[in-house]
Amino acid sequence: MEELLETFFRHGHHEGIVVTLNEDGSPNTAPMGVDLERPYLLLRPYLTTKTYVNLRMFPELTINLTWDSLLFYRSLYGLKELRFRGSRKVKTPVIDGGIDLYVEGEVLKVLEDRVLGYAEVLVKPLDAYLGSGSRLAYSRADALLIEVMIYLTKAEVFAEVNPEVASMLVERMEPYLLIAERLGSDEVREIALELRSRLARFRRG
Ligand SMILES: Cc1cc2nc3c(=O)[nH]c(=O)nc-3n(C[C@H](O)[C@H](O)[C@H](O)COP(=O)(O)O)c2cc1C
Protein backbone atom coordinates (compact mmCIF):
# COMPACT_ATOMS: atom_id res chain seq x y z
CA MET A 1 0.00 0.00 0.00
CA GLU A 2 2.78 2.49 0.95
CA GLU A 3 4.48 1.96 -2.41
CA LEU A 4 1.29 2.68 -4.37
CA LEU A 5 0.66 5.84 -2.34
CA GLU A 6 4.26 7.01 -2.84
CA THR A 7 3.94 6.45 -6.59
CA PHE A 8 0.53 7.99 -7.20
CA PHE A 9 0.97 10.91 -4.80
CA ARG A 10 4.58 11.60 -5.72
CA HIS A 11 4.04 15.30 -6.45
CA GLY A 12 2.62 15.71 -2.94
CA HIS A 13 -0.65 17.40 -3.86
CA HIS A 14 -3.10 15.71 -6.24
CA GLU A 15 -6.77 15.89 -7.14
CA GLY A 16 -9.09 12.95 -6.54
CA ILE A 17 -12.77 12.16 -6.28
CA VAL A 18 -13.86 11.61 -2.71
CA VAL A 19 -16.84 9.37 -2.00
CA THR A 20 -18.60 9.65 1.36
CA LEU A 21 -21.88 8.28 2.69
CA ASN A 22 -24.98 10.41 3.11
CA GLU A 23 -27.26 9.94 6.09
CA ASP A 24 -29.55 7.65 4.05
CA GLY A 25 -26.58 5.47 3.03
CA SER A 26 -26.38 6.76 -0.55
CA PRO A 27 -22.97 7.85 -1.90
CA ASN A 28 -21.91 11.48 -2.29
CA THR A 29 -19.06 12.42 -4.61
CA ALA A 30 -16.86 15.51 -4.80
CA PRO A 31 -13.50 16.31 -6.35
CA MET A 32 -11.06 17.27 -3.59
CA GLY A 33 -7.38 18.05 -3.31
CA VAL A 34 -5.41 15.34 -1.48
CA ASP A 35 -1.97 15.81 0.10
CA LEU A 36 0.38 13.00 1.01
CA GLU A 37 1.33 13.50 4.66
CA ARG A 38 3.28 10.29 5.17
CA PRO A 39 1.92 7.83 6.25
CA TYR A 40 -1.44 9.63 6.07
CA LEU A 41 -3.42 11.66 3.55
CA LEU A 42 -4.78 15.13 4.18
CA LEU A 43 -7.99 16.67 2.81
CA ARG A 44 -9.10 20.29 3.19
CA PRO A 45 -12.86 20.36 2.68
CA TYR A 46 -14.80 23.58 3.21
CA LEU A 47 -17.01 23.28 6.30
CA THR A 48 -20.06 23.86 4.11
CA THR A 49 -19.42 20.84 1.84
CA LYS A 50 -21.55 17.73 2.08
CA THR A 51 -18.30 15.79 2.06
CA TYR A 52 -17.28 17.40 5.34
CA VAL A 53 -20.72 17.02 6.94
CA ASN A 54 -20.77 13.36 5.91
CA LEU A 55 -17.28 12.68 7.23
CA ARG A 56 -18.25 14.09 10.63
CA MET A 57 -21.21 11.75 10.70
CA PHE A 58 -19.58 8.65 9.23
CA PRO A 59 -15.77 8.92 9.17
CA GLU A 60 -14.97 6.58 6.29
CA LEU A 61 -14.29 7.45 2.66
CA THR A 62 -12.85 6.29 -0.60
CA ILE A 63 -10.52 8.37 -2.76
CA ASN A 64 -10.76 7.63 -6.48
CA LEU A 65 -7.88 8.84 -8.67
CA THR A 66 -8.27 9.41 -12.40
CA TRP A 67 -7.11 11.60 -15.31
CA ASP A 68 -10.59 11.60 -16.82
CA SER A 69 -12.29 15.01 -16.77
CA LEU A 70 -15.65 13.36 -17.51
CA LEU A 71 -15.52 11.52 -14.18
CA PHE A 72 -14.63 14.77 -12.38
CA TYR A 73 -17.52 16.45 -14.15
CA ARG A 74 -19.98 13.70 -13.23
CA SER A 75 -18.79 13.64 -9.63
CA LEU A 76 -19.79 17.31 -9.43
CA TYR A 77 -22.87 17.61 -11.63
CA GLY A 78 -23.88 14.15 -12.87
CA LEU A 79 -23.86 11.84 -9.87
CA LYS A 80 -26.68 9.77 -11.33
CA GLU A 81 -24.48 8.84 -14.28
CA LEU A 82 -21.79 7.35 -12.04
CA ARG A 83 -21.74 3.68 -11.13
CA PHE A 84 -20.45 2.36 -7.83
CA ARG A 85 -19.27 -0.94 -6.44
CA GLY A 86 -18.39 -2.31 -3.03
CA SER A 87 -15.10 -1.51 -1.33
CA ARG A 88 -12.77 -3.92 0.42
CA LYS A 89 -12.42 -2.45 3.91
CA VAL A 90 -14.99 0.31 4.31
CA LYS A 91 -18.73 0.61 3.84
CA THR A 92 -18.35 3.58 1.46
CA PRO A 93 -18.31 2.37 -2.17
CA VAL A 94 -15.77 3.11 -4.89
CA ILE A 95 -16.54 4.46 -8.37
CA ASP A 96 -16.90 1.72 -10.95
CA GLY A 97 -15.18 3.03 -14.10
CA GLY A 98 -11.94 4.52 -15.33
CA ILE A 99 -10.18 4.85 -12.01
CA ASP A 100 -6.40 4.48 -11.76
CA LEU A 101 -6.07 4.04 -8.00
CA TYR A 102 -8.54 3.45 -5.19
CA VAL A 103 -7.70 4.41 -1.63
CA GLU A 104 -9.99 3.41 1.21
CA GLY A 105 -9.55 5.22 4.48
CA GLU A 106 -10.87 6.38 7.81
CA VAL A 107 -10.72 9.79 9.43
CA LEU A 108 -8.04 9.97 12.09
CA LYS A 109 -8.21 13.61 13.15
CA VAL A 110 -10.13 16.76 12.25
CA LEU A 111 -8.96 20.35 12.78
CA GLU A 112 -11.54 23.01 11.98
CA ASP A 113 -10.48 26.51 10.97
CA ARG A 114 -13.68 28.48 11.44
CA VAL A 115 -12.08 31.75 10.32
CA LEU A 116 -11.00 30.39 6.94
CA GLY A 117 -14.03 28.10 6.78
CA TYR A 118 -12.31 24.83 6.07
CA ALA A 119 -11.11 21.80 7.99
CA GLU A 120 -7.96 19.73 7.87
CA VAL A 121 -9.03 16.11 7.79
CA LEU A 122 -6.28 13.59 8.38
CA VAL A 123 -7.07 10.26 6.76
CA LYS A 124 -5.54 6.91 7.65
CA PRO A 125 -5.34 4.79 4.48
CA LEU A 126 -6.66 1.28 5.08
CA ASP A 127 -6.15 -0.12 1.59
CA ALA A 128 -4.91 1.05 -1.82
CA TYR A 129 -5.30 -0.88 -5.06
CA LEU A 130 -5.34 -0.35 -8.80
CA GLY A 131 -8.57 0.15 -10.75
CA SER A 132 -9.16 -0.61 -14.39
CA GLY A 133 -7.41 2.69 -15.17
CA SER A 134 -8.40 5.88 -16.94
CA ARG A 135 -6.54 4.51 -20.02
CA LEU A 136 -5.93 8.03 -21.16
CA ALA A 137 -2.76 9.81 -22.22
CA TYR A 138 -2.18 13.22 -20.68
CA SER A 139 -4.43 15.71 -22.40
CA ARG A 140 -4.31 19.48 -21.97
CA ALA A 141 -8.06 19.47 -22.62
CA ASP A 142 -8.66 17.23 -19.56
CA ALA A 143 -6.30 19.27 -17.40
CA LEU A 144 -7.90 22.56 -18.45
CA LEU A 145 -11.46 21.33 -17.91
CA ILE A 146 -10.53 20.17 -14.42
CA GLU A 147 -8.96 23.60 -13.79
CA VAL A 148 -12.17 25.28 -14.96
CA MET A 149 -14.17 23.05 -12.57
CA ILE A 150 -11.94 24.17 -9.69
CA TYR A 151 -12.63 27.86 -10.40
CA LEU A 152 -16.30 27.26 -11.12
CA THR A 153 -16.74 25.59 -7.72
CA LYS A 154 -14.81 28.48 -6.10
CA ALA A 155 -17.16 30.92 -7.85
CA GLU A 156 -20.13 28.95 -6.48
CA VAL A 157 -18.73 29.45 -2.97
CA PHE A 158 -17.94 33.16 -3.53
CA ALA A 159 -21.18 34.04 -5.34
CA GLU A 160 -23.06 34.78 -2.10
CA VAL A 161 -20.37 36.62 -0.15
CA ASN A 162 -18.44 38.34 -2.92
CA PRO A 163 -20.04 38.34 -6.39
CA GLU A 164 -17.22 40.55 -7.76
CA VAL A 165 -14.66 37.85 -7.00
CA ALA A 166 -16.95 35.15 -8.45
CA SER A 167 -17.27 37.18 -11.64
CA MET A 168 -13.50 37.72 -11.86
CA LEU A 169 -12.85 33.99 -11.45
CA VAL A 170 -15.21 33.02 -14.26
CA GLU A 171 -13.78 35.64 -16.67
CA ARG A 172 -10.39 33.99 -16.29
CA MET A 173 -11.78 30.65 -17.43
CA GLU A 174 -12.73 31.62 -20.99
CA PRO A 175 -9.24 31.11 -22.54
CA TYR A 176 -9.02 27.68 -20.86
CA LEU A 177 -12.35 26.64 -22.34
CA LEU A 178 -11.30 27.84 -25.80
CA ILE A 179 -8.12 25.74 -25.71
CA ALA A 180 -9.98 22.68 -24.34
CA GLU A 181 -12.55 23.00 -27.12
CA ARG A 182 -9.82 23.33 -29.76
CA LEU A 183 -7.81 20.32 -28.52
CA GLY A 184 -10.57 18.07 -27.24
CA SER A 185 -12.98 15.47 -28.57
CA ASP A 186 -16.76 15.85 -28.91
CA GLU A 187 -17.03 14.58 -25.32
CA VAL A 188 -14.70 17.36 -24.12
CA ARG A 189 -16.60 19.97 -26.14
CA GLU A 190 -19.88 18.84 -24.59
CA ILE A 191 -18.48 19.24 -21.07
CA ALA A 192 -16.96 22.62 -22.03
CA LEU A 193 -20.36 23.79 -23.24
CA GLU A 194 -22.00 22.71 -19.98
CA LEU A 195 -19.30 24.43 -17.94
CA ARG A 196 -19.62 27.59 -20.02
CA SER A 197 -23.34 27.83 -19.29
CA ARG A 198 -22.71 27.24 -15.58
CA LEU A 199 -20.02 29.96 -15.59
CA ALA A 200 -22.37 32.39 -17.34
CA ARG A 201 -24.55 32.52 -14.21
CA PHE A 202 -21.78 34.32 -12.34
CA ARG A 203 -21.02 36.91 -15.03
CA ARG A 204 -21.86 40.47 -14.15
CA GLY A 205 -22.57 43.38 -16.37
C1 LIG B 1 -10.26 19.37 -8.96
C2 LIG B 1 -11.08 19.96 -7.83
C3 LIG B 1 -10.53 20.01 -6.55
C4 LIG B 1 -11.27 20.51 -5.48
N1 LIG B 1 -10.72 20.53 -4.23
C5 LIG B 1 -11.47 20.95 -3.18
C6 LIG B 1 -10.92 20.91 -1.86
O1 LIG B 1 -9.76 20.52 -1.63
N2 LIG B 1 -11.73 21.30 -0.83
C7 LIG B 1 -13.02 21.72 -1.04
O2 LIG B 1 -13.73 22.02 -0.08
N3 LIG B 1 -13.55 21.79 -2.28
C8 LIG B 1 -12.80 21.40 -3.36
N4 LIG B 1 -13.34 21.44 -4.62
C9 LIG B 1 -14.72 21.91 -4.78
C10 LIG B 1 -15.75 20.84 -4.40
O3 LIG B 1 -15.57 19.66 -5.17
C11 LIG B 1 -17.17 21.38 -4.63
O4 LIG B 1 -17.39 22.47 -3.77
C12 LIG B 1 -18.23 20.33 -4.45
O5 LIG B 1 -19.47 20.86 -4.90
C13 LIG B 1 -18.40 19.88 -3.02
O6 LIG B 1 -19.36 18.86 -3.04
P1 LIG B 1 -20.11 18.34 -1.74
O7 LIG B 1 -20.82 19.52 -1.12
O8 LIG B 1 -21.04 17.29 -2.26
O9 LIG B 1 -19.05 17.79 -0.82
C14 LIG B 1 -12.59 20.98 -5.71
C15 LIG B 1 -13.13 20.95 -7.01
C16 LIG B 1 -12.38 20.45 -8.06
C17 LIG B 1 -12.98 20.41 -9.44
Side-chain angles (χ1 to χ4, degrees), residues 49-65:
T49 58
K50 193 90 189 42
T51 299
Y52 182 64
V53 173
N54 284 353
L55 284 175
R56 294 314 311 248
M57 211 169 45
F58 184 71
E60 288 184 355
L61 69 157
T62 67
I63 300 170
N64 302 252
L65 301 184

mmCIF file of all heavy atoms in Angstrom, residues 49-65:
data_model
loop_
_atom_site.group_PDB
_atom_site.id
_atom_site.type_symbol
_atom_site.label_atom_id
_atom_site.label_comp_id
_atom_site.label_asym_id
_atom_site.label_seq_id
_atom_site.Cartn_x
_atom_site.Cartn_y
_atom_site.Cartn_z
ATOM 1 N N THR A 49 -19.230 21.933 2.820
ATOM 2 C CA THR A 49 -19.424 20.842 1.840
ATOM 3 C C THR A 49 -20.140 19.652 2.484
ATOM 4 O O THR A 49 -19.985 19.379 3.673
ATOM 5 C CB THR A 49 -18.087 20.350 1.239
ATOM 6 O OG1 THR A 49 -17.237 19.909 2.300
ATOM 7 C CG2 THR A 49 -17.402 21.429 0.438
ATOM 8 N N LYS A 50 -20.878 18.951 1.640
ATOM 9 C CA LYS A 50 -21.554 17.729 2.075
ATOM 10 C C LYS A 50 -20.493 16.696 2.476
ATOM 11 O O LYS A 50 -20.693 15.918 3.413
ATOM 12 C CB LYS A 50 -22.403 17.200 0.900
ATOM 13 C CG LYS A 50 -23.387 16.144 1.262
ATOM 14 C CD LYS A 50 -24.693 16.805 1.641
ATOM 15 C CE LYS A 50 -25.770 15.944 2.229
ATOM 16 N NZ LYS A 50 -25.524 14.948 3.172
ATOM 17 N N THR A 51 -19.389 16.720 1.753
ATOM 18 C CA THR A 51 -18.298 15.787 2.058
ATOM 19 C C THR A 51 -17.887 15.925 3.525
ATOM 20 O O THR A 51 -17.749 14.934 4.239
ATOM 21 C CB THR A 51 -17.081 16.079 1.136
ATOM 22 O OG1 THR A 51 -17.494 15.886 -0.211
ATOM 23 C CG2 THR A 51 -15.902 15.183 1.456
ATOM 24 N N TYR A 52 -17.710 17.182 3.958
ATOM 25 C CA TYR A 52 -17.278 17.399 5.341
ATOM 26 C C TYR A 52 -18.366 16.966 6.335
ATOM 27 O O TYR A 52 -18.087 16.259 7.306
ATOM 28 C CB TYR A 52 -16.909 18.871 5.559
ATOM 29 C CG TYR A 52 -16.425 19.107 6.967
ATOM 30 C CD1 TYR A 52 -15.265 18.503 7.412
ATOM 31 C CD2 TYR A 52 -17.145 19.891 7.853
ATOM 32 C CE1 TYR A 52 -14.818 18.668 8.718
ATOM 33 C CE2 TYR A 52 -16.712 20.074 9.156
ATOM 34 C CZ TYR A 52 -15.548 19.459 9.580
ATOM 35 O OH TYR A 52 -15.127 19.617 10.870
ATOM 36 N N VAL A 53 -19.597 17.381 6.047
ATOM 37 C CA VAL A 53 -20.715 17.024 6.943
ATOM 38 C C VAL A 53 -20.800 15.496 7.051
ATOM 39 O O VAL A 53 -20.927 14.929 8.146
ATOM 40 C CB VAL A 53 -22.039 17.619 6.388
ATOM 41 C CG1 VAL A 53 -23.235 17.129 7.171
ATOM 42 C CG2 VAL A 53 -21.979 19.144 6.398
ATOM 43 N N ASN A 54 -20.691 14.821 5.902
ATOM 44 C CA ASN A 54 -20.772 13.357 5.910
ATOM 45 C C ASN A 54 -19.640 12.722 6.705
ATOM 46 O O ASN A 54 -19.847 11.759 7.448
ATOM 47 C CB ASN A 54 -20.731 12.816 4.473
ATOM 48 C CG ASN A 54 -22.047 13.016 3.747
ATOM 49 O OD1 ASN A 54 -23.032 13.438 4.346
ATOM 50 N ND2 ASN A 54 -22.069 12.728 2.459
ATOM 51 N N LEU A 55 -18.436 13.278 6.539
ATOM 52 C CA LEU A 55 -17.284 12.682 7.232
ATOM 53 C C LEU A 55 -17.392 12.838 8.748
ATOM 54 O O LEU A 55 -16.904 11.997 9.499
ATOM 55 C CB LEU A 55 -15.973 13.303 6.722
ATOM 56 C CG LEU A 55 -15.518 12.799 5.352
ATOM 57 C CD1 LEU A 55 -14.283 13.568 4.886
ATOM 58 C CD2 LEU A 55 -15.233 11.297 5.365
ATOM 59 N N ARG A 56 -18.048 13.922 9.184
ATOM 60 C CA ARG A 56 -18.250 14.094 10.631
ATOM 61 C C ARG A 56 -19.229 13.057 11.162
ATOM 62 O O ARG A 56 -19.147 12.618 12.300
ATOM 63 C CB ARG A 56 -18.794 15.498 10.964
ATOM 64 C CG ARG A 56 -17.893 16.675 10.707
ATOM 65 C CD ARG A 56 -16.479 16.540 11.182
ATOM 66 N NE ARG A 56 -16.196 16.086 12.523
ATOM 67 C CZ ARG A 56 -15.676 16.805 13.502
ATOM 68 N NH1 ARG A 56 -15.407 18.065 13.318
ATOM 69 N NH2 ARG A 56 -15.386 16.288 14.665
ATOM 70 N N MET A 57 -20.162 12.683 10.301
ATOM 71 C CA MET A 57 -21.214 11.748 10.704
ATOM 72 C C MET A 57 -20.722 10.307 10.607
ATOM 73 O O MET A 57 -20.947 9.491 11.482
ATOM 74 C CB MET A 57 -22.385 11.936 9.727
ATOM 75 C CG MET A 57 -23.738 11.691 10.289
ATOM 76 S SD MET A 57 -24.944 12.295 9.083
ATOM 77 C CE MET A 57 -24.315 11.670 7.536
ATOM 78 N N PHE A 58 -20.037 10.019 9.493
ATOM 79 C CA PHE A 58 -19.575 8.650 9.234
ATOM 80 C C PHE A 58 -18.151 8.758 8.668
ATOM 81 O O PHE A 58 -17.965 9.089 7.487
ATOM 82 C CB PHE A 58 -20.525 7.963 8.239
ATOM 83 C CG PHE A 58 -20.170 6.520 8.001
ATOM 84 C CD1 PHE A 58 -20.372 5.572 8.988
ATOM 85 C CD2 PHE A 58 -19.622 6.127 6.785
ATOM 86 C CE1 PHE A 58 -20.012 4.241 8.774
ATOM 87 C CE2 PHE A 58 -19.282 4.802 6.568
ATOM 88 C CZ PHE A 58 -19.479 3.868 7.562
ATOM 89 N N PRO A 59 -17.144 8.509 9.519
ATOM 90 C CA PRO A 59 -15.772 8.922 9.172
ATOM 91 C C PRO A 59 -15.007 7.945 8.272
ATOM 92 O O PRO A 59 -13.836 7.654 8.514
ATOM 93 C CB PRO A 59 -15.108 9.046 10.544
ATOM 94 C CG PRO A 59 -15.867 8.096 11.413
ATOM 95 C CD PRO A 59 -17.246 7.987 10.879
ATOM 96 N N GLU A 60 -15.662 7.448 7.251
ATOM 97 C CA GLU A 60 -14.969 6.582 6.291
ATOM 98 C C GLU A 60 -15.179 7.137 4.883
ATOM 99 O O GLU A 60 -16.213 7.746 4.591
ATOM 100 C CB GLU A 60 -15.532 5.163 6.347
ATOM 101 C CG GLU A 60 -15.138 4.430 7.599
ATOM 102 C CD GLU A 60 -15.617 2.986 7.601
ATOM 103 O OE1 GLU A 60 -16.335 2.568 6.665
ATOM 104 O OE2 GLU A 60 -15.287 2.277 8.554
ATOM 105 N N LEU A 61 -14.206 6.885 4.015
ATOM 106 C CA LEU A 61 -14.286 7.450 2.659
ATOM 107 C C LEU A 61 -13.491 6.600 1.692
ATOM 108 O O LEU A 61 -12.680 5.766 2.101
ATOM 109 C CB LEU A 61 -13.733 8.877 2.648
ATOM 110 C CG LEU A 61 -12.227 9.035 2.863
ATOM 111 C CD1 LEU A 61 -11.751 10.357 2.285
ATOM 112 C CD2 LEU A 61 -11.874 8.966 4.335
ATOM 113 N N THR A 62 -13.754 6.831 0.409
ATOM 114 C CA THR A 62 -12.853 6.294 -0.601
ATOM 115 C C THR A 62 -12.363 7.466 -1.442
ATOM 116 O O THR A 62 -13.085 8.439 -1.654
ATOM 117 C CB THR A 62 -13.522 5.224 -1.502
ATOM 118 O OG1 THR A 62 -14.537 5.831 -2.309
ATOM 119 C CG2 THR A 62 -14.126 4.097 -0.675
ATOM 120 N N ILE A 63 -11.103 7.357 -1.882
ATOM 121 C CA ILE A 63 -10.521 8.373 -2.763
ATOM 122 C C ILE A 63 -10.263 7.670 -4.094
ATOM 123 O O ILE A 63 -9.649 6.594 -4.131
ATOM 124 C CB ILE A 63 -9.213 8.931 -2.173
ATOM 125 C CG1 ILE A 63 -9.495 9.579 -0.814
ATOM 126 C CG2 ILE A 63 -8.588 9.945 -3.114
ATOM 127 C CD1 ILE A 63 -8.253 9.953 -0.022
ATOM 128 N N ASN A 64 -10.802 8.256 -5.159
ATOM 129 C CA ASN A 64 -10.755 7.633 -6.477
ATOM 130 C C ASN A 64 -9.930 8.528 -7.388
ATOM 131 O O ASN A 64 -10.302 9.675 -7.644
ATOM 132 C CB ASN A 64 -12.176 7.482 -7.022
ATOM 133 C CG ASN A 64 -13.075 6.672 -6.112
ATOM 134 O OD1 ASN A 64 -13.426 5.556 -6.407
ATOM 135 N ND2 ASN A 64 -13.450 7.238 -4.958
ATOM 136 N N LEU A 65 -8.788 8.011 -7.863
ATOM 137 C CA LEU A 65 -7.876 8.835 -8.675
ATOM 138 C C LEU A 65 -8.031 8.529 -10.157
ATOM 139 O O LEU A 65 -8.069 7.358 -10.545
ATOM 140 C CB LEU A 65 -6.423 8.570 -8.270
ATOM 141 C CG LEU A 65 -6.034 8.847 -6.825
ATOM 142 C CD1 LEU A 65 -4.534 8.611 -6.639
ATOM 143 C CD2 LEU A 65 -6.386 10.259 -6.402
#
